[in-house]
Amino acid sequence: MSSSNDSQIPTTMKAVICPKPGPPSVLQVVPDYPVPTPNQTETLIKIHAFGLNRSELFTRRGDSGPAVPFPRILGIECVGTVALSPSGKFDPGDVVVTAMGGLGRKFDGGYAEYACVPEGQVLELEEGRELVDGEGGLGWEVLGAMPEMCQTAWGSLYRSLRLREGESLLVRGGTTSVGLAAAAIAKANGAGRVVGTSRSLSKEGLLKGNGFDEVVVDDGAVSGKLGAAGGKVDKVLELVGVTTLEDSLKCVKEGGIVCMTGIVGNQWAFNEFKPMEHIPTTVCLTSYAGGNEDVLATPLDKLCREVKEGRMKVQIGKVFKIDDIVKAHEAMEENKAGGKIVVLT
């Protein structure tokens, strides 16, 4: 790495510190936080954008317990350019993404202008510069929305649900950022009928604009409505969580699969769960959590090309600057963004 590039790295940066668990107002923007120094196995990323994730909301509230010590720079994902790669694995200016793997939990994360990340957890995008700077490029806000959202949707669909071409899919929690991404990815890759749920028909336009064929109002009893809407489905992606999971298990055909990925319903566990009673015969129940290895395995280059070519849509709900991180977390808590919340540095 050339010394000229090293000299362009400032000694301080803007970073968001979470000093202790609490409401959004606990987050503090520090204008002169020290820029971290990478060791031989790390990469220093100049962060251009990061998406917000509900796991960060839970961590900020203290729900992650001792797994995340405070103070901490939160943020389980970020996109940006390589500032320094001591091993020479990356070149300065390479466009990269990273997510999970302890980012924002075991070590400081993406809510900053720079982050040090183990180089094995960094993914370089093949068409990076064209994606952000080229004609018809995605720009940082779209790219910033994609890593965690797309790996969660892709992994849920093709690792856990094993969705095949032509199969039908129900997304429980269709208006979430992952739900919208899942519909867009599924349709772009040959899925059949895709049904999404929403608590209100006012979101029908949003859902159908992102790949859903049908919209069902979720009153907790969606299984009773699918018959009139075209019958049960092959696969269900459950993003609301345990509050609707029992009903989702009734929505699939014999041999179908239900994958629990999200907990938008904010309830972590069943008060009482009786597998023999709640899981129908021949129906399979699985889950998807995802880790850094899943981020690296997600075909982000392919998905970026599909977005750039207009074959897939990334629904961005709101965009904030890093100085407005408290407002961004408030918007996430309200759960009314209508898509992924992205923060630009």
Side-chain angles (χ1 to χ4, degrees):
M1 194 62 57
S2 67
S3 59
S4 60
N5 186 70
D6 297 0
S7 66
Q8 295 172 8
I9 301 171
T11 57
T12 62
M13 65 179 181
K14 190 176 290 185
V16 178
I17 309 299
C18 186
K20 60 183 180 180
S25 59
V26 78
L27 298 172
Q28 301 173 1
V29 180
V30 178
D32 54 357
Y33 196 82
V35 172
T37 300
N39 63 32
Q40 194 67 19
T41 62
E42 295 176 328
T43 298
L44 181 65
I45 300 174
K46 178 177 174 57
I47 299 170
H48 289 267
F50 56 87
L52 294 195
N53 299 278
R54 292 192 71 82
S55 67
E56 296 152 5
L57 181 156
F58 298 135
T59 298
R60 190 211 70 225
R61 295 194 314 201
D63 295 344
S64 297
V68 182
F70 294 95
R72 174 63 74 217
I73 297 175
L74 302 180
I76 64 169
E77 68 174 319
C78 63
V79 300
T81 53
V82 172
L84 190 61
S85 175
S87 72
K89 179 178 181 178
F90 301 105
D91 292 325
D94 283 348
V95 176
V96 294
V97 306
T98 189
M100 307 293 284
L103 185 69
R105 294 176 62 82
K106 293 181 180 179
F107 55 92
D108 284 337
Y111 287 19
E113 292 180 318
Y114 289 87
C116 259
V117 181
E119 64 179 22
Q121 296 181 194
V122 178
L123 176 67
E124 179 187 357
L125 294 178
E126 296 174 1
E127 302 173 15
R129 272 298 165 194
E130 290 184 18
L131 288 173
V132 293
D133 296 332
E135 184 177 350
L138 305 184
W140 287 113
E141 60 187 56
V142 173
L143 194 58
M146 294 183 68
E148 177 62 11
M149 179 177 71
C150 288
Q151 79 86 9
T152 303
W154 182 273
S156 298
L157 293 174
Y158 298 109
R159 283 199 65 199
S160 293
L161 286 174
R162 301 186 285 279
L163 186 68
R164 294 176 294 188
E165 187 173 346
E167 285 189 323
S168 55
L169 171 71
L170 169 68
V171 180
R172 198 79 180 251
T175 58
T176 63
S177 60
V178 172
L180 295 169
I185 290 171
K187 292 303 285 189
N189 288 274
R193 169 181 168 234
V194 178
V195 184
T197 70
S198 172
R199 288 175 294 179
S200 170
L201 268 183
S202 64
K203 299 294 180 66
E204 184 174 17
L206 170 68
L207 289 160
K208 289 190 173 180
N210 280 271
F212 288 100
D213 300 302
E214 301 169 22
V215 178
V216 176
V217 174
D218 196 341
D219 58 2
V222 170
S223 58
K225 300 179 179 182
L226 285 181
K232 294 184 176 183
V233 295
D234 297 300
K235 309 288 168 67
V236 175
L237 174 54
E238 175 61 80
L239 298 173
V240 178
V242 297
T243 56
T244 55
L245 180 57
E246 184 179 347
D247 183 63
S248 289
L249 287 164
K250 300 174 184 177
C251 293
V252 289
K253 302 173 182 177
E254 286 196 11
I257 305 175
V258 177
C259 173
M260 180 169 161
T261 295
I263 47 173
V264 177
N266 288 330
Q267 183 177 327
W268 288 80
F270 283 109
N271 295 323
E272 183 179 30
F273 183 60
K274 301 176 181 178
M276 293 293 290
E277 180 179 329
H278 294 157
I279 304 176
T281 300
T282 77
V283 170
C284 300
L285 172 62
T286 186
S287 66
Y288 181 80
N292 180 258
E293 66 279 6
D294 298 294
V295 178
L296 300 179
T298 300
L300 277 173
D301 284 300
K302 171 183 180 291
L303 297 177
C304 285
R305 285 193 296 271
E306 290 179 351
V307 175
K308 186 177 179 181
E309 294 167 4
R311 292 184 286 122
M312 190 182 110
K313 184 177 180 180
V314 172
Q315 182 70 33
I316 296 177
K318 293 185 178 181
V319 179
F320 294 88
K321 296 292 288 184
I322 195 170
D323 289 322
D324 296 319
I325 190 66
V326 171
K327 292 181 180 178
H329 261 247
E330 289 172 345
M332 179 164 56
E333 286 208 333
E334 292 170 359
N335 202 29
K336 296 179 180 178
K340 184 76 170 181
I341 298 174
V342 179
V343 178
L344 301 176
T345 59

